[in-house]
Amino acid sequence: MAARRRASNSLSILLLFLLAIASLAVNDDSPVVQHDSASGEPTVPGRSLMTASSTSTTTAMETNTTTTTSTTTTTSTTAPQQLVAGVFGRLIAHTLAPEGLEAAGRVRLRPLGKDCGDPGTSVMDVSVQPPCAGHICRGPVHRLGSEVWWEGVRIIHAGVYHMCWCEPRRDCAGLEVGLTGPGCCLEDANFTQDEGWVEVLGPNWMERAPVLGRPFPLALTGTAIYSSSRVLLRLYGEHGGACGEGRLEGEPEASSVTLSEDGVLAAFEARIFRRLRYLVCWCAGGPHAGTYGWIDPMGLPCTSDLEFGAEVGVVVPEGPHTEDLVPIQAVVAVPFSVEVIGDGLVIGDRVRIVSGAQDCGQDDTENHPAVAPYICGRGQVSCILSPIIFNGPPID
């Protein structure tokens, strides 16, 4: 009887001990993995299971009789990397490839809304300029653990970009890592590893259509704009070049940009003198001085064309044609016609014939003294006023 009582007491103690363990398990603060009833994917209340460097999550769900494995593609939830438009900076990706094999990997930036692996993923966005700055068109040259990165990358347009990584493998890696494969990153489908977002700070895009020669405002709105930020205008295409490059001979005289006199931050007044397409180029200034690959000898930002590396807008003017004009042949003391062709022209417009040594738009831009104020002769009873001086173009 005593033995039976002792066995009963031992069983009670064991049951109490098991209940205590169960109570501790219920009060544990570690996250509880649940499964979404619709998709079957694992979830943790208040916490994400997805990381920036992983591309898939595999979960095994065991039962008494079978084991089922499901794989889903994940999206990065980490904060986006940040760069400033036109400023050379660093881009970071992640790899699980063995040391040395990362050089066979590639990264691509894609526009917002384009997913990794979609058609076109193998092509770098055109906002990365120069296309291979910082070796970004090739594999990374820096690594620490699972992080790989490129230094000296420049993106010229503000906005948000999707970053996609191609993970290299030994069976396809090529000469850049001493192997003989064709390359691992030749197709869109190779760039499936989602590395999150890259946020490029800078002014919002602007478009202007001013009248040739007339002052117009250029006010910047956006992010990373400082009191030392500046803009300049560059001729587009064959007449000029890209932002961040030195302007060609005659380009600086084709436009003018000055700080607005009302004291508003990053507000400018501009004028353009040729009826061509212009790019609005921006220099960030501020704390980004010295991040362009050299130290300015004067210690001042935005003093070189090379610092204006961001494209923040376009200007397409209205007015008379200024290119490929046919010279007017005139005879001394004989009346001649002046024809102005363009768009946006009105009766109130005027022209002046100035000395060839003088620039248009100067404060003292007056008709040359040799331009006669009256037209006389040719059977007219009296002289008439020259329209170039007084009346402007005829209505008809």
Side-chain angles (χ1 to χ4, degrees):
M1 191 70 167
R4 193 175 297 156
R5 186 180 297 110
R6 284 195 299 271
S8 175
N9 290 338
S10 298
L11 180 60
S12 299
I13 292 172
L14 178 60
L15 288 172
L16 289 173
F17 180 72
L18 291 174
L19 288 172
I21 292 176
S23 175
L24 287 174
V26 169
N27 293 325
D28 187 9
D29 289 334
S30 61
V32 179
V33 178
Q34 302 174 345
H35 288 84
D36 184 89
S37 59
S39 64
E41 295 180 8
T43 60
V44 179
R47 187 180 303 179
S48 170
L49 290 179
M50 298 180 290
T51 62
S53 60
S54 65
T55 59
S56 63
T57 300
T58 303
T59 304
M61 297 172 284
E62 295 186 0
T63 66
N64 291 332
T65 57
T66 60
T67 299
T68 303
T69 302
S70 62
T71 304
T72 59
T73 301
T74 66
T75 303
S76 171
T77 58
T78 59
Q81 301 182 57
Q82 284 190 340
L83 294 177
V84 175
V87 178
F88 292 99
R90 173 187 294 182
L91 277 182
I92 302 172
H94 300 82
T95 182
L96 297 178
E99 288 282 345
L101 192 61
E102 70 276 357
R106 298 289 186 270
V107 75
R108 295 292 184 263
L109 291 183
R110 301 296 298 148
L112 183 65
K114 300 293 185 180
D115 292 331
C116 295
D118 280 355
T121 307
S122 60
V123 180
M124 183 72 82
D125 192 273
V126 295
S127 294
V128 179
Q129 294 293 333
C132 282
H135 209 252
I136 191 65
C137 63
R138 309 292 293 174
V141 294
H142 306 281
R143 179 170 183 171
L144 181 62
S146 64
E147 277 193 353
V148 294
W149 68 91
W150 297 259
E151 297 282 1
V153 180
R154 188 178 70 179
I155 302 176
I156 62 174
H157 297 139
V160 180
Y161 299 82
H162 205 170
M163 188 171 175
C164 305
W165 167 254
C166 165
E167 181 79 341
R169 307 184 314 275
R170 289 194 179 277
D171 64 311
C172 56
L175 295 177
E176 65 265 69
V177 293
L179 299 175
T180 58
C184 299
C185 307
L186 305 178
E187 306 292 337
D188 296 335
N190 300 138
F191 291 84
T192 56
Q193 183 165 314
D194 187 345
E195 286 292 319
W197 308 100
V198 178
E199 182 182 13
V200 182
L201 307 178
N204 299 323
W205 184 260
M206 66 177 74
E207 295 181 2
R208 300 289 185 270
V211 176
L212 200 65
R214 183 176 298 174
F216 65 97
L218 280 178
L220 301 179
T221 60
T223 54
I225 299 173
Y226 307 92
S227 59
S228 57
S229 297
R230 295 291 184 269
V231 296
L232 63 78
L233 297 176
R234 147 71 333 198
L235 290 174
Y236 179 79
E238 61 179 339
H239 298 283
C243 294
E245 299 177 354
R247 284 178 288 180
L248 304 179
E249 182 179 357
E251 264 197 276
E253 294 76 32
S255 64
S256 69
V257 179
T258 57
L259 278 171
S260 177
E261 295 181 356
D262 58 13
V264 177
L265 175 66
F268 305 90
E269 184 177 88
R271 286 199 302 169
I272 54 180
F273 309 114
R274 297 177 66 179
R275 193 173 175 274
L276 295 169
R277 186 184 182 94
Y278 290 74
L279 292 174
V280 183
C281 304
W282 178 66
C283 169
H288 305 291
T291 59
Y292 303 91
W294 68 88
I295 301 299
D296 190 281
M298 302 297 292
L300 300 173
C302 306
T303 55
S304 166
D305 290 351
L306 304 183
E307 296 177 279
F308 292 80
E311 290 183 6
V312 300
V314 64
V315 178
V316 183
E318 294 182 345
H321 295 168
T322 60
E323 310 303 310
D324 303 321
L325 299 177
V326 178
I328 298 174
Q329 302 292 331
V331 178
V332 174
V334 176
F336 63 93
S337 298
V338 176
E339 184 180 39
V340 178
I341 301 175
D343 54 10
L345 306 179
V346 297
I347 293 300
D349 293 346
R350 299 290 185 268
V351 298
R352 287 179 177 175
I353 301 176
V354 303
S355 168
Q358 189 175 18
D359 291 330
C360 294
Q362 306 263 333
D363 292 337
D364 59 347
T365 303
E366 299 289 346
N367 279 301
H368 193 279
V371 179
Y374 296 94
I375 299 175
C376 304
R378 289 206 170 184
Q380 299 188 47
V381 176
S382 60
C383 297
I384 62 173
L385 299 175
S386 171
I388 205 76
I389 301 292
F390 299 102
N391 300 329
I395 295 178
D396 57 356

